[in-house]
Amino acid sequence: MRATVMYGAGDVRVETVADAGIVEPTDAVITVTHACICGSDLWPYKSMEQSETGRPMGHEAVGVVEALGADVGTLTVGDVVVMPFAYSDGACVFCHEGLHTSCLHGGFFGNADVGGAQAEAQRVPQADGTLFALPVGKDDALMPSLLTLSDVMGTGHHAAVVAGVRPGQSVAVVGDGAVGLCGVIAAKRLGAEQIIIMGRHADRIALAKEFGATDVVSERGSEAVERVKELTGGFGAHSVLECVGHGEAIVTALGIARPGGSVGRVGLPQHDEIPTTMQTFFDNVTVGGGPAPARAYIEELLPDVLEGRIQPGRVFDRVIGLDEVPDGYRAMNDREAIKVMVTP
């Protein structure tokens, strides 16, 4: 089968690899109908050391069940399913607590053990607990939005949940990428009265406003902090969604939280330390977050997608075939595209 492999910074190739197959009786194999390139894929695209073996890429997918292991009991061949970026058994203590990314028998897609979803097919471990059967056909017009439930919509929602977004309160979203834009959707959905999008790309800002952003801050650093405080009566935002992971974004996020506020971090961290610890301590700012348990949020978010109340699939502004994936990486890295959808 054909699949995407990254060999180093800027070196993405689509190659013929071994077919995805059943390895464990709890596995499924899906034919990938829709996949995408994630903002987190750009970090190795910028910095990965050269490798002779390469790394399979892709962790977000919608597909059709092609084969099932003997112990899979909740799925049938032919089901259209969404595949969250982490696999989980759905049965351990952490899955029962809604934290599927910490599953005792789980892991993440996009590595040599399970392969990557920017491919024609994908092996899915722990299929019963991981895959979510969709009540639509594989060519449904809502497929872009359904695909976001595998990662970015769930991640934006997770940021909003961790940051304690409440009706009538203020929210600041740091980052105007796909996750940040989905964070705007999540904040609006949870009833925030003021939603400040922090970014400087005109196309993304326009989309953020359509999703519900009420204010825009294009400044950076200390100027951004002062501008957010001006917009929030001098106090800062009740809830801050940090959707980048880079040092400056984290410093800004912590600086714009009001005393007693909360920061939800979902940007993949690029540093080991959280800065401005003393300030957040004395301001009683709560800092939390991590990889979103997207599987836990699908059932909650799916009705809003199916009924058109939210349209997170609008973050996809380019659709490509599998052979065009290397150029898709380039386009996202060069800010020519917000998020690229792949249709193998």
Side-chain angles (χ1 to χ4, degrees):
M1 69 176 192
R2 303 278 286 164
T4 302
V5 182
M6 183 179 292
Y7 284 90
D11 186 1
V12 178
R13 311 175 198 174
V14 178
E15 300 183 331
T16 299
V17 302
D19 289 344
I22 300 296
V23 176
E24 301 290 341
T26 51
D27 289 351
V29 173
I30 65 171
T31 299
V32 177
T33 60
H34 299 78
C36 49
I37 300 171
C38 183
S40 64
D41 293 334
L42 298 182
W43 293 116
Y45 185 75
K46 296 171 192 262
S47 61
M48 179 179 170
E49 293 185 6
Q50 201 67 26
S51 164
E52 293 185 3
T53 56
R55 168 183 162 184
M57 298 301 296
H59 51 257
E60 306 153 274
V62 169
V64 178
V65 175
E66 176 183 303
L68 294 169
D71 291 349
V72 179
T74 63
L75 300 163
T76 59
V77 172
D79 282 348
V80 178
V81 293
V82 60
M83 185 197 85
F85 66 88
Y87 59 89
S88 54
D89 63 15
C92 78
V93 58
F94 294 112
C95 289
H96 281 300
E97 292 175 357
L99 195 60
H100 295 67
T101 47
S102 293
C103 176
L104 296 174
H105 305 103
F108 297 90
F109 292 101
N111 57 67
D113 291 334
V114 296
Q118 293 163 13
E120 292 178 330
Q122 172 72 59
R123 172 188 165 229
V124 182
Q126 304 293 347
D128 277 329
T130 301
L131 296 174
F132 191 101
L134 297 170
V136 299
K138 63 184 180 66
D139 297 319
D140 194 276
L142 291 173
M143 200 52 69
S145 286
L146 294 168
L147 177 59
T148 69
L149 299 180
S150 66
D151 188 344
V152 287
M153 186 60 231
T155 297
H157 179 69
H158 187 55
V161 170
V162 171
V165 173
R166 298 286 186 273
Q169 293 190 341
S170 59
V171 176
V173 180
V174 181
D176 59 2
V179 171
L181 292 169
C182 287
V184 172
I185 294 174
K188 178 72 172 179
R189 181 178 175 274
L190 293 173
E193 180 176 315
Q194 182 182 32
I195 303 173
I196 303 166
I197 181 69
M198 305 186 71
R200 52 178 59 186
H201 300 91
D203 55 341
R204 302 172 186 218
I205 296 304
L207 190 55
K209 289 181 177 179
E210 293 181 30
F211 284 160
T214 58
D215 299 279
V216 178
V217 170
S218 297
E219 295 87 348
R220 290 186 176 178
S222 59
E223 292 181 355
V225 173
E226 291 306 312
R227 180 61 181 144
V228 171
K229 289 185 176 181
E230 287 177 10
L231 291 169
T232 54
F235 300 124
H238 293 93
S239 300
V240 180
L241 282 53
E242 196 286 298
C243 303
V244 180
H246 192 272
E248 183 181 35
I250 296 171
V251 171
T252 298
L254 296 171
I256 61 178
R258 66 187 280 146
S262 298
V263 178
R265 300 176 63 214
V266 294
L268 184 65
Q270 300 303 302
H271 305 279
D272 291 333
E273 298 179 355
I274 299 177
T276 65
T277 301
M278 195 66 72
Q279 175 188 337
T280 53
F281 176 81
F282 280 99
D283 282 347
N284 276 281
V285 172
T286 299
V287 181
R295 181 61 177 80
Y297 295 135
I298 293 175
E299 192 167 358
E300 176 184 352
L301 297 171
L302 181 61
D304 283 358
V305 170
L306 293 175
E307 295 171 25
R309 288 190 290 269
I310 61 174
Q311 297 178 305
R314 295 179 64 194
V315 299
F316 293 110
D317 54 351
R318 184 173 298 194
V319 181
I320 61 174
L322 188 57
D323 287 337
E324 300 169 273
V325 165
D327 190 60
Y329 272 82
R330 182 205 58 76
M332 283 183 61
N333 188 62
D334 293 347
R335 299 295 190 268
E336 292 179 7
I338 301 173
K339 190 167 178 68
V340 174
M341 184 164 66
V342 183
T343 54

